[in-house]
Amino acid sequence: MKFDWNEYYILAKWLVDTESNRSSNTVINSNAVLRCIISRAYYSAHCQASKYLRKYEGLIWLPKYQMGTHEWVLNCFLKDSPRINYPLRSKKILNFEELTASIYDDLYALKVERIFADYKEYYPDLELQGLKLAQDCVRRSSDVLDNLEKLYCR
């Protein structure tokens, strides 16, 4: 059975809603929950973007690109990327450049936060913004998913 990457978005959204309504004396550390939200929000957007490239644009990542899959997916949505030698075929969409620029911006911001959430012991932005940062990541993930849907519904 294929996994629906939107489930990560649904989980992140549920965790944000739960976190904003829970009391501070629960067993689960709030920092761990917020980091999980950020990570799941990113992976939902990244995996759906990768699926879009494969299914609707016929593009797949290959080791010869000399970049990781995360960077490759991001670069596919970057206008005139010097490292990707093919344009997305969807350019016939009226607001294609606006949609892909928005996808790129949101994926990039999510990736930066996800790296902190998954790998950094000290996460200053999370200390300062807490739930607001996690909510912003969920919103960005939702925006990527919505914009990808606009691209597939051409």
Side-chain angles (χ1 to χ4, degrees):
M1 177 179 185
K2 287 185 179 181
F3 182 69
D4 179 0
W5 299 109
N6 286 324
E7 293 294 324
Y8 276 164
Y9 168 76
I10 293 166
L11 174 62
K13 178 84 175 86
W14 179 80
L15 285 169
V16 160
D17 294 343
T18 302
E19 184 65 9
S20 56
N21 293 321
R22 79 180 179 114
S23 66
S24 59
N25 61 357
T26 59
V27 177
I28 300 172
N29 179 296
S30 181
N31 194 289
V33 173
L34 296 174
R35 286 170 180 258
C36 182
I37 292 166
I38 293 164
S39 183
R40 296 307 88 192
Y42 168 75
Y43 275 108
S44 175
H46 167 76
C47 292
Q48 280 298 100
S50 179
K51 180 180 172 183
Y52 167 81
L53 293 169
R54 193 174 53 254
K55 187 173 180 179
Y56 295 97
E57 302 296 340
L59 304 175
I60 57 169
W61 174 84
L62 298 171
K64 72 177 185 177
Y65 296 136
Q66 299 180 345
M67 67 180 87
T69 58
H70 294 261
E71 183 182 358
W72 178 81
V73 167
L74 201 52
N75 277 319
C76 284
F77 292 96
L78 181 61
K79 182 181 176 190
D80 302 323
S81 173
R83 299 181 81 179
I84 304 295
N85 295 324
Y86 39 77
L88 291 173
R89 292 190 314 262
S90 300
K91 287 198 175 185
K92 58 189 165 209
I93 295 172
L94 185 60
N95 58 345
F96 175 81
E97 287 186 3
E98 180 184 316
L99 289 171
T100 56
S102 179
I103 291 168
Y104 175 85
D105 291 345
D106 286 332
L107 271 178
Y108 182 82
L110 284 165
K111 182 181 176 191
V112 168
E113 296 304 335
R114 196 273 309 174
I115 289 168
F116 269 95
D118 286 351
Y119 300 114
K120 305 296 182 183
E121 228 175 295
Y122 182 63
Y123 189 174
D125 288 349
L126 192 63
E127 298 291 325
L128 294 171
Q129 299 176 35
L131 183 60
K132 183 180 179 307
L133 178 62
Q135 290 168 329
D136 183 57
C137 288
V138 169
R139 180 198 53 79
R140 284 182 180 277
S141 182
S142 177
D143 290 349
V144 169
L145 300 176
D146 290 346
N147 286 331
L148 287 168
E149 192 170 323
K150 289 173 187 170
L151 289 178
Y152 359 116
C153 294
R154 51 183 174 218

